[in-house]
Amino acid sequence: GHEYVGEVVDKKTLSKQVIIEKGGIAKTSDFVAAGIPAVDIVNLCNTGYLERIRHGYLVLEYNHRHEMLNKL
């Protein structure tokens, strides 16, 4: 198991890792399976970090997505 410090950064980093592992798009269930509660997924969408592209599917918000692709 992973041990993290700093809850907020943790959720963002974790959600980004899930999306990267899933090839750029992840389902809500993928985040939950990674240990991110649904309520946190909603919060990440509300703050604009994640973008819901259709029901149950999420991607990183455009700027974060662009930044991620540049690092690949």
Side-chain angles (χ1 to χ4, degrees):
H2 300 289
E3 283 187 26
Y4 292 109
V5 187
E7 275 296 295
V8 180
V9 178
D10 168 39
K11 297 285 163 33
K12 284 189 173 183
T13 307
L14 208 49
S15 64
K16 184 187 279 191
Q17 284 171 346
V18 170
I19 289 172
I20 291 169
E21 281 173 21
K22 297 291 174 184
I25 175 171
K27 297 194 293 278
T28 308
S29 57
D30 296 328
F31 295 106
V32 174
I36 305 168
V39 64
D40 288 323
I41 298 163
V42 172
N43 288 337
L44 289 168
C45 287
N46 289 345
T47 58
Y49 188 74
L50 295 178
E51 201 176 305
R52 195 181 291 274
I53 54 168
R54 63 178 182 269
H55 185 70
Y57 288 86
L58 299 109
V59 294
L60 285 169
E61 182 273 323
Y62 179 75
N63 293 322
H64 297 291
R65 203 156 65 223
H66 194 68
E67 183 186 305
M68 180 184 90
L69 292 173
N70 286 342
K71 286 178 182 166
L72 294 179

